[in-house]
Amino acid sequence: MVPADTPVLRADDLGVLRGDGVFETMHVRPDGRGGVQPWLLDEHLARMARSAARMELALPAEAALRELAALACAQWPAEVEGALRLTCTRGPEASAASGGPVTCFASLNPIGAATLAARRDGITVTTISLGYPADARTSAPWLLGGVKSLSYAINMASQRWALAQGADDALWVSQDGYALEGPTSTLAWLDGDVLCTVPVEPTGILPGTTARHLLDHAADLGWTAAERMVTPAGLAAADGVWLLSSVRGVAELRSIDGVASAPSAHTGNLLGYLGFPSLGY
Amino acid sequence: MVPADTPVLRADDLGVLRGDGVFETMHVRPDGRGGVQPWLLDEHLARMARSAARMELALPAEAALRELAALACAQWPAEVEGALRLTCTRGPEASAASGGPVTCFASLNPIGAATLAARRDGITVTTISLGYPADARTSAPWLLGGVKSLSYAINMASQRWALAQGADDALWVSQDGYALEGPTSTLAWLDGDVLCTVPVEPTGILPGTTARHLLDHAADLGWTAAERMVTPAGLAAADGVWLLSSVRGVAELRSIDGVASAPSAHTGNLLGYLGFPSLGY
C-alpha cells in the first residue's frame, strides 16, 4: 500500500480524463483467524470482470487483483470495519491506445459515522427520475447498463440533490414511473414472505452483490425470493423496504418522499444475518 | 508543466473515484506573436464555470486557470497544432468533505492523424439512442444536462460502439427520435441559408463553444442562424451536416447510418473561417 497522499495516477490516465474504468467496493470484516477479509470478494471480482468486459477493458489476471486486496487488508486492525475499494482504469491515454496495461490500485478506509447511523436508524429518501424509461438500456450496450464504471458524476449529483431536499439518499425512478435503484445501492422490499428486488433485465440497473447474496439465501430467513417491477406507491404497502449496498449493508427506508412508514421488524435480522454490526465492531 | 509520466493524482481523488470533476479542451494555435494560445479561452472558462456551478464544485480563481493554460502553452512550438486540456476534480475525498481545494491541472498534446483526416475527408456516423426522451433532462439538474463532467464512460462506449459498426463516430438520438449531439461534438447543419444547431433547452445537450461561435458569426458567411429540433431523416435533406468540436473543429458528415451524401461545398469555408488547417500548420 502506498500512503494515501502519494500521487499514483498520471494526469493522462483515462480513469480521470474520461471516468473510463471500473471499480468495486467491499466490506472488510474479521476473517475468524485474527485478520480481516473483504466480504463476497469472489462475487465482486466477478462483477468487475463483467463490467470490464462490457467496457472492453482488459483487466489483469484475477490473482493480481486478489493480491492487491490481500495487501491492503494485511495490516488492517480486526476490530475496525473497513471499506476496501479496487479501482482499474484504462490507463494513460497513449499506452491505452496501443493496448498497454490498465492502472489498478486498492484503498482501504474506515467506515464513517453517517453510514453506521444509517444502518441503525434507517434513512429517508426522495425519488428522482433517472430520465430513462425502465427498458431504455435494453439492447443498448453503449449505455453501460449493469456496468459499475468510474463515471459516477450523475450518481453523486443525485445524492447531493437528495441531501439538499432534506433526505438522506435518492431513489431513482424510471421516466415511466418504476422504482429502480439508489445511486449507490440496490432496492429490496418484503411483500408478505416474499423478498423482492428489481430485475436487472430490462432495467439496466447495477446487479447488487449484497442483494444477490440475500435473495439467494432468502430461505434461511423463512422467505422466498422474487424479482419484480415496483412503483414508489407499491413500496408503501411493503412489509419493509431497504437499500442494500456493500459497505452500508442494510439501510431501511423510513420515509419515501416525506411519507413515513413504521419501522420494519426485520431490519435487525437482516443486518445480523449479513454480518453487519449496526454500531461497528 | 510536470512531465506527463509523473503521477499527479492521489488514489483518493474524487476525479478518478467518481468521475467527479469538470474539464475543457481547447484548440491551441498561433497567437500571431510567435507563440501559441488556446482558441476561445474565455468561452471555455465560462463553460467550465457553469459546469462547476451545476456540480457545486468550487473552482479556483479564473486567473489561476488562465495561468495553468499559459504555462502549458509557453514552450509549445508555433508550427504544431495542439489540444490543451484543463481538468478540475473535486480533489481527495477527505479534504473535499471538509471543503478543501479542487485538483486542477493542464495538459497539452499534439493532434492525431485521425483528427486531421476527419477534417479533410469528413466522417461516417451511426445513430444510437441516448436512452432519454429529448426533454428528459428538463427540470432534472441531477442528470447534469449541459455539464461537461469527467464522467465520459458512456461517451467513450458510444464511440467504441460506432467504430465497431464500421463508422467513424456516433450521433446520439433521443428515445423519441431527435438527433441530439455527438459524444464529443455538437451537431450543426445548413438548411438553405440557415445554419442550424440543436437547442440546449429542452435537450440538455452540451452547449458547444465552436458551434456557438459559428452561429454567432453566421452573417459573416452570408447565413442566418437558428436552433431547431431535427430528426436523422431531416438531416438527409440538409445542404451540409457537421459535427463541431474544439480540436477536430469541423467534421462533415458524409454518411449517416450508411446513407451517403454528396460533399458539401461549404466545409472548406467553415474550416478556413474558424481557423482550422485541414492538414495541420
Side-chain angles (χ1 to χ4, degrees), chain A residues 2 4-21 23 25 54-56 85 87 89-90 93 105-107 109 127-133 135-136 139-144 148-158 160-161 164 172 175 184, chain B residues 2 4-21 23 25 54-56 85 87 89-90 93 105-107 109 127-133 135-136 139-144 148-158 160-161 164 172 175 184:
Chain A
V2 293
D5 58 355
T6 303
V8 298
L9 274 180
R10 293 166 47 151
D12 59 348
D13 193 292
L14 288 162
V16 66
L17 293 184
R18 301 291 191 183
D20 198 353
F23 77 102
T25 308
R54 292 181 188 185
M55 290 181 71
E56 300 174 33
R85 184 179 156 122
T87 306
T89 79
R90 203 175 294 274
E93 195 161 20
F105 55 94
S107 55
N109 291 289
T127 61
I128 57 178
S129 175
L130 190 54
Y132 299 117
D135 64 353
S139 309
W142 56 88
L143 296 180
L144 301 179
K148 194 169 179 71
S149 84
L150 299 176
S151 287
Y152 257 46
I154 287 177
N155 308 55
M156 298 296 99
S158 294
R160 279 195 302 276
W161 177 269
W172 278 333
Q175 186 249 4
T184 60
Chain B
V2 294
D5 57 356
T6 302
V8 298
L9 275 178
R10 293 166 48 151
D12 59 346
D13 193 292
L14 289 162
V16 66
L17 293 185
R18 300 292 193 183
D20 198 353
F23 76 103
T25 308
R54 291 181 188 185
M55 289 180 73
E56 299 174 34
R85 183 179 156 122
T87 306
T89 78
R90 203 175 294 275
E93 194 161 20
F105 55 94
S107 55
N109 291 290
T127 60
I128 57 177
S129 175
L130 189 54
Y132 298 117
D135 64 354
S139 309
W142 57 87
L143 296 179
L144 300 180
K148 194 169 178 72
S149 85
L150 299 176
S151 287
Y152 257 45
I154 287 176
N155 308 54
M156 298 294 100
S158 295
R160 279 195 302 275
W161 176 268
W172 277 334
Q175 186 249 4
T184 60

Side-chain angles (χ1 to χ4, degrees), chain A residues 1 156 167 220 249:
Chain A
M1 288 291 280
M156 298 296 99
D220 289 351

Side-chain angles (χ1 to χ4, degrees), chain A residues 7 15 63-64 108 119 126 132 145 154 163 165 169 171 182 186 208 225 237 248 255 257 261 264 273:
Chain A
L108 177 50
R119 280 188 207 154
T126 184
Y132 299 117
I154 287 177
L163 261 63
Q165 308 309 306
D169 205 344
L171 175 62
T186 311
R248 194 169 61 185
S255 164
D257 291 333
S261 50
S264 168
Y273 180 76

